Amino acid sequence: MIRVVLVDDQALFRAGIRMLVASQPDLEVVGEAGNGQEAIEVVRSTRPDVVLMDIRMPVMDGLTATAEILARPDPPRIVMLTTFDLDEAAARAIRQGASGFLLKDADPEFLLAAIRTVNSGSSVIAAAATRELFAHFAAAPKPVPSHFADLTDREKEIFALAARGLSNAEIAGREFLSEATVKTHISRILTKLALRDRVQLVVFAFEHGLV
């Protein structure tokens, strides 16, 4: 079972998401919170796999709560909930380590797929959407870390395609590789760059002017 915590100050919205998640045989809502302060306590007591975190809430916002939760050992995956396609707060949360963002009016099937995708740790909700978000809010590039040179030429090619938001299947088609081979390359890239997932790869690429 994938254990999920819902954090949103609107009880009606939480109830709708709870019903949707509870309808799935592999998903379980283990806690809810109406603000960021409550979220920290609920996450501590329930130890979920995935947290759906609203950004704008009273008492403590989702950004502050996300930063505190992710600073603790073995944190859950956190997906930010936002009403805006291009939300600077969502970009800040992803820089802090959130695994992506979802629009609150996303299709139910997309939300369910996003929970499973993030829980698997193997990919990101929407790399293309993340790329667009960071393109909109890009700051001045930082110097490229020296360990980027540890990537092979092939890994740098695949890094560039992944940073543009291409899926494993799309990269495989362009590079004439199997999806399994692409997945192996992505895993090695993440390890060499000490990145957790493809969201962090996109962030890394934008922050260092590699896209």
Side-chain angles (χ1 to χ4, degrees), residues 8-86:
D8 194 283
D9 61 330
Q10 296 180 350
L12 190 60
F13 179 80
R14 292 201 312 271
I17 300 299
R18 181 174 65 247
M19 290 175 60
L20 175 66
V21 171
S23 72
Q24 302 299 300
D26 60 331
L27 304 179
E28 175 186 16
V29 175
V30 296
E32 296 182 32
N35 61 62
Q37 188 63 58
E38 290 178 4
I40 292 168
E41 298 306 319
V42 170
V43 167
R44 179 187 292 135
S45 62
T46 61
R47 299 189 61 79
D49 301 303
V50 177
V51 177
L52 300 180
M53 177 80 73
D54 189 20
I55 292 177
R56 292 163 180 82
M57 294 179 290
V59 183
M60 179 187 288
D61 63 33
L63 287 175
T64 305
T66 294
E68 186 160 336
I69 290 168
L70 291 176
R72 296 180 178 182
D74 195 24
R77 301 275 172 163
I78 299 181
V79 179
M80 309 309 295
L81 299 173
T82 177
T83 53
F84 306 105
D85 270 307
L86 296 174

Side-chain angles (χ1 to χ4, degrees), residues 139-195:
K142 301 175 183 176
V144 178
S146 59
H147 58 274
F148 185 73
D150 294 340
L151 300 186
T152 66
D153 289 342
R154 172 62 96 180
E155 287 168 349
K156 287 177 181 176
E157 290 173 8
I158 291 175
F159 171 92
L161 294 173
R164 288 167 50 193
L166 273 66
S167 67
N168 284 358
E170 291 168 331
I171 294 172
R174 285 190 178 219
E175 298 294 301
F176 303 103
L177 300 169
S178 70
E179 285 190 55
T181 299
V182 172
K183 187 174 180 179
T184 298
H185 279 303
I186 293 289
S187 178
R188 288 175 180 162
I189 291 166
L190 295 177
T191 298
K192 287 183 178 181
L193 299 180
L195 303 173

